[in-house]
Amino acid sequence: MLSLFLCGAFLTACGGGGGDGGSGGGAATFDPRLIGQWEFQEILGAGGSFTLINVERITFVPDFTGIQETFSVVNGSPSATETASFTWSAVNASTLRVTIGPNTADASYSITSSGDGMQFGGRVYSRLN
């Protein structure tokens, strides 16, 4: 689930990212507000006595590494958290290259002027810290 969840955030499917932005070197410029923890929530069911929420938290660290945590909340009870490490680099000012396990993908990102929100690979994340 981890690779699929993370790759879903970055691209429809993981694959070769193209270009030569490096792996973990961050040679290109990136928005420094990216550093920190971000959360995406997807509500899949909410009605009657059943609620299902999928949560993804991603943390971008200044050393070009990161952590992805995923869990679900069913009727108020969280599942066990699954964790995966990744590396990242900036391809350009609006694109990141992320590698998790054997998969590498490029994804565009933008951060709101307030710094509280980020659109990343087609999803909208809220800043946690």
Side-chain angles (χ1 to χ4, degrees), residues 40-115:
F40 167 78
Q41 293 186 7
E42 180 178 33
I43 300 171
L44 299 175
S49 61
F50 178 76
T51 301
L52 171 62
I53 303 170
N54 283 334
V55 179
E56 176 187 17
R57 290 184 180 145
I58 53 176
T59 303
F60 290 93
V61 182
D63 68 358
F64 301 100
T65 63
I67 301 287
Q68 177 205 28
E69 301 168 290
T70 59
F71 61 94
S72 296
V73 179
V74 179
N75 294 332
S77 299
S79 67
T81 300
E82 297 183 40
T83 304
S85 298
F86 63 89
T87 59
W88 64 276
S89 62
V91 175
N92 57 47
S94 63
T95 305
L96 299 178
R97 176 164 296 142
V98 177
T99 300
I100 183 168
N103 300 310
T104 298
D106 291 355
S108 62
Y109 79 102
S110 63
I111 298 175
T112 61
S113 59
S114 68

